[in-house]
Amino acid sequence: MLGYAFMGRAHTNAYKKIAYTFWPPPMNVELVHIAGRNEEGVEEAARRYGYSKHTTDWRDIVNDPDVLIFDNGGPNDQHLEPTIAAAQAGKHVICEKPLGRTAEEAFAVWSGVAETGVKAMTAFNYRFFPAIRLVKEMLEDGTLGEVRHFRARYHQEWLVDPQAPTSWRLNKETAGSGALGDLGAHIIDLARYLVGEPSTISANTVTFTQERPGGTVDVDDAFDAVLQFEGGALGTLEATRVAPGRKNHMRFEISTTKGTVIFDQERMNELELHLAGTTPGDRAQGFRTVLVSETYHPYWENWWPHGHMIGWEDSFVHEMEHLLSAIRNDTPIGPHGATLEDGYRCAEVADAILRAAQTGERQTISYRELPR
């Protein structure tokens, strides 16, 4: 594990929970080695989480013969070199989003790892929410029909106070972008996963507070974008870290030829669903709340009796089980797991948003392919 803070803890928690959620587990997980920049911090994390070794140099993990999987939860500027090096050392890899600070960097990660043949995954955990997987199934089986509109937003409030201190997330050299790469990457990925590839996009970005305690902010506080998908659907995306009252508000609404479905991450076990023309209730059409907790819903056969809810952390359990199963069974990461190509394509859309905001001109989105 590279990184012992937010994502390092979330991923570690998932590995520890797999064996008593999925039975039998695809693999028995041993926590071998964890890396972080601060000696005191990483030593404490190793003791607290249960890793047998710790280091301040990720190369020690890459060179450790006891390590089978390299999990990169480090800052964005640490995604490129360690991920490729680990794959070249024969370790399967999972890397947090955004895969790169730019599309060029994300492509380098994808292409560098692809040459090694290891299993590789971009960590987009929202794909593994049962309710979102249920939306995917309803789109694929025709229940919802053809998509006409995709509207998504991701709002947080942790930078509302102009005196909130700066951090690596507010530095372009380290993070690449602000709300766009941090929050927008999630809704870009869900747009691609649920609807398909965007073809053109226009956008705005803004930095509301440019000077904070600790330094200058040179990334976006917020963005909004209008896009069209290759299949003809229209879409809107927006993300901000300065929305008072919003804690972790990731919400999308999909309007189709047969109805509308709404997901709100802060009510992650529910969907709001309207299916046009359904009965009973000819004179009382409207939205119903679907509690996604039945054994026939995605992933729920592994959990509790219906109505006994799971949480945000449990999406990582599903995600890591998917990775371990792909390794054990030699099955593909996609389409439900996000591949490194998915991580790269998400970065291309993000770069197009920045170009559109900078130029004021609508951008066409195109993708590179790996050399054959």
Side-chain angles (χ1 to χ4, degrees):
M1 178 71 66
L2 173 56
Y4 58 82
F6 183 22
M7 282 299 108
R9 185 157 66 103
H11 287 209
T12 299
N13 178 66
Y15 290 122
K16 294 169 80 78
K17 292 179 70 171
I18 284 173
Y20 56 87
T21 303
F22 292 85
W23 189 259
M27 291 181 175
N28 292 313
V29 177
E30 180 183 355
L31 303 178
V32 176
H33 213 151
I34 187 168
R37 290 174 292 183
N38 178 276
E39 172 66 34
E40 182 179 353
V42 74
E43 181 180 13
E44 170 64 17
R47 184 195 64 78
R48 178 181 175 189
Y49 302 160
Y51 286 88
S52 56
K53 292 177 274 189
H54 66 274
T55 180
T56 56
D57 188 345
W58 56 262
R59 294 168 184 82
D60 293 337
I61 297 180
V62 168
N63 295 322
D64 189 335
D66 295 331
V67 172
L68 173 68
I69 298 170
F70 183 83
D71 188 321
N72 192 336
N76 301 349
D77 65 337
Q78 293 296 301
H79 290 181
L80 174 65
E81 186 181 1
T83 303
I84 295 174
Q88 290 174 340
K91 302 176 193 316
H92 305 289
V93 296
I94 177 169
C95 183
E96 261 300 328
K97 60 81 202 162
L99 187 60
R101 291 169 291 180
T102 63
E104 184 69 26
E105 188 168 272
F107 183 81
V109 178
W110 173 36
S111 58
V113 172
E115 295 174 352
T116 69
V118 302
K119 295 296 180 184
M121 189 170 178
T122 306
F124 281 113
N125 65 296
Y126 286 116
R127 291 186 178 213
F128 294 91
F129 277 38
I132 291 178
R133 184 63 61 84
L134 180 59
V135 172
K136 177 72 169 176
E137 291 179 0
M138 291 191 293
L139 288 167
E140 290 183 335
D141 67 17
T143 300
L144 286 168
E146 181 182 346
V147 176
R148 296 284 176 79
H149 297 280
F150 177 84
R151 310 173 189 92
R153 63 179 184 256
Y154 203 149
H155 294 177
Q156 294 180 347
E157 68 172 0
W158 59 280
L159 286 177
V160 167
D161 183 358
Q163 292 305 305
T166 190
S167 72
W168 71 261
R169 295 183 185 275
L170 306 185
N171 179 269
K172 184 175 182 179
E173 183 177 353
T174 307
S177 62
L180 175 59
D182 185 20
L183 308 179
H186 278 298
I187 56 177
I188 292 169
D189 181 68
L190 288 176
R192 293 187 57 255
Y193 178 57
L194 297 172
V195 183
E197 298 293 352
S199 56
T200 62
I201 198 161
S202 57
N204 300 294
T205 62
V206 64
T207 305
F208 294 108
T209 303
Q210 296 183 342
E211 297 294 333
R212 291 183 176 274
T216 299
V217 177
D218 57 358
V219 297
D220 55 286
D221 284 332
F223 85 92
D224 58 24
V226 178
L227 62 150
Q228 185 160 22
F229 293 90
E230 289 179 355
L234 299 179
T236 59
L237 307 172
E238 61 175 75
T240 180
R241 300 191 287 204
V242 292
R246 292 302 188 188
K247 310 304 179 183
N248 193 39
H249 181 72
M250 193 280 286
R251 177 183 174 96
F252 65 76
E253 180 171 329
I254 304 176
S255 299
T256 72
T257 52
K258 294 184 179 181
T260 296
V261 63
I262 300 169
F263 172 82
D264 185 338
Q265 192 279 145
E266 292 178 341
R267 303 183 69 87
M268 63 165 281
N269 295 287
E270 297 178 2
L271 292 175
E272 296 297 312
L273 178 66
H274 170 68
L275 293 175
T278 54
T279 55
D282 290 343
R283 299 174 65 189
Q285 289 293 302
F287 284 91
R288 68 187 70 160
T289 299
V290 178
L291 188 63
V292 183
S293 70
E294 301 287 349
T295 55
Y296 51 76
H297 287 143
Y299 295 112
W300 268 95
E301 71 274 13
N302 303 296
W303 289 101
W304 321 117
H306 56 195
H308 295 71
M309 298 292 91
I310 63 172
W312 174 85
E313 66 178 275
D314 298 313
S315 65
F316 294 96
V317 179
H318 304 156
E319 182 177 46
M320 300 314 169
E321 188 276 338
H322 183 84
L323 174 64
L324 296 183
S325 292
I327 294 169
R328 184 195 67 184
N329 301 324
D330 194 23
T331 50
I333 293 295
H336 295 304
T339 64
L340 297 195
E341 181 177 6
D342 287 317
Y344 155 67
R345 289 188 172 223
C346 177
E348 281 286 10
V349 178
D351 275 13
I353 288 172
L354 291 176
R355 291 195 307 272
Q358 291 163 358
T359 64
E361 298 177 354
R362 194 167 186 83
Q363 299 293 307
T364 298
I365 300 168
S366 60
Y367 303 109
R368 297 170 59 181
E369 302 292 336
L370 292 180
R372 295 186 183 276

